[in-house]
Amino acid sequence: MHNSENLLQQLTTKLRDRRASIANADDFMCSAVLVPLMEQDGKLGIWFEVRSAQLNWQPGEICFPGGRIEPADQNPQTAAVRETSEELGVAADSLRVLGPLDCIVSPIGVMLFPYVAHIQTPVKFNPNPSEVAEIFWVPLDWFLSTKPQVATMELATRPLADFPYELLNTYPRDWRRRITYKVLFYQYRQYTIWGLSARVLYNFLTILRELPANKQIADA
C-alpha cells in the first residue's frame, strides 16, 4: 500500500511542474490563421481570401489565410505563417507577427489559433489558385464603424450504431439538443464574412477598440 503523504507530495511536485495542455485536442481539427494587416492609400486594412470552389472544406467561403497545424510545425504561429505564405504567395519574412488573439474552440469541432500580422510593403501577392479564388482588402475604418448581424445556430447529437445503449438504459436514441450559439455576419460589398472568421474578426476589433486612439468608437 502506498504511503499517502509520500504519494501526495510526489503528486504535488508532478502537477506543479506540469504544463497543462488540451487533453482531447485530437478530437478537434487544430488550425491557425493570420489576420493580415496592410496599408493601402494611407489606410490600414485587412486582407481576406475567398476559398477556391474546388476545395472539399468550405468551398467559396471567405476566410483568413491559414490552415491545419502540421506535426512539423513548431507551434501554431509557425503554422499560421507557413500557410499564409503558401496561400498568398508571399515570403514568410514579409509577415511580421504582432501577437496572438484568443483561441476559439468551435462547437463544430475546430480549434483555431489566430494571430495578427503586419504585411511589410511593398509586396506582390501570388495566390495559390488551388486554394484561393481571390483576395480582397477591407479598411479597418469600415469594420470599426460597422456592427455585425447576429444569428443563432443550434447543435444536436445522435449516437451512432456502436453506442452501448445497454450500459445506459435511459439514454435517448434520437437527436438530442445540446447547445445554441451565436453566429456573426459582416457584409462588405458582395462579400459575407461569417462563422469562425467573423468570430476572429470580432475578437480583434474588440482589442483594437481598447487602444487609446479608438476609445471614442462604441463597441459593436
Side-chain angles (χ1 to χ4, degrees):
M1 180 179 293
H2 292 289
N3 178 287
S4 296
E5 186 58 34
N6 183 47
L7 177 64
L8 290 172
Q9 288 178 356
Q10 291 182 34
L11 184 58
T12 299
T13 301
K14 179 73 172 179
L15 295 178
R16 184 181 59 232
D17 297 336
R18 183 175 183 273
R19 184 174 180 177
S21 61
I22 300 171
N24 64 333
D26 289 343
D27 294 339
F28 294 84
M29 184 179 78
C30 295
S31 299
V33 298
L34 286 187
V35 178
L37 304 176
M38 197 176 86
E39 294 87 0
Q40 284 199 154
D41 300 324
K43 290 186 176 182
L44 197 60
I46 305 173
W47 281 102
F48 293 87
E49 295 179 355
V50 179
R51 291 171 60 81
S52 168
Q54 308 307 314
L55 292 172
N56 294 325
W57 175 260
Q58 297 178 324
E61 293 194 3
I62 292 167
C63 66
F64 292 111
R68 189 185 294 271
I69 301 171
E70 302 292 348
D73 292 319
Q74 184 178 359
N75 51 48
Q77 178 177 315
T78 303
V81 170
R82 174 184 55 77
E83 287 281 349
T84 299
S85 175
E86 293 172 359
E87 291 175 8
L88 294 183
V90 297
D93 60 10
S94 69
L95 303 169
R96 181 168 65 97
V97 178
L98 306 184
L101 297 173
D102 295 329
C103 176
I104 296 177
V105 180
S106 165
I108 63 172
V110 177
M111 189 179 301
L112 187 62
F113 297 86
Y115 297 83
V116 179
H118 178 229
I119 300 179
Q120 317 281 334
T121 53
V123 67
K124 183 178 180 180
F125 294 111
N126 185 26
N128 181 349
S130 66
E131 297 187 73
V132 183
E134 64 172 298
I135 61 175
F136 65 96
W137 180 89
V138 183
L140 281 182
D141 288 348
W142 185 87
F143 285 119
L144 290 170
S145 61
T146 302
K147 290 185 177 182
Q149 181 178 338
V150 182
T152 306
M153 291 280 281
E154 182 176 272
L155 187 69
T157 58
R158 182 180 65 180
L160 297 181
D162 62 349
F163 192 83
Y165 288 107
E166 68 277 7
L167 300 180
L168 304 168
N169 294 331
T170 61
Y171 199 89
R173 292 174 178 263
D174 55 359
W175 286 100
R176 189 175 188 182
R177 176 181 174 182
R178 290 297 183 185
I179 62 170
T180 59
Y181 59 96
K182 299 298 182 184
V183 183
L184 306 181
F185 299 80
Y186 291 90
Q187 183 69 42
Y188 179 75
R189 298 179 179 174
Q190 73 269 34
Y191 303 107
T192 302
I193 303 161
W194 73 290
L196 289 182
S197 296
R199 278 288 178 187
V200 170
L201 180 59
Y202 187 85
N203 180 217
F204 170 63
L205 294 173
T206 299
I207 294 170
L208 196 63
R209 286 187 172 93
E210 295 172 353
L211 302 179
N214 293 314
K215 283 292 187 181
Q216 73 276 14
I217 301 175
D219 288 341

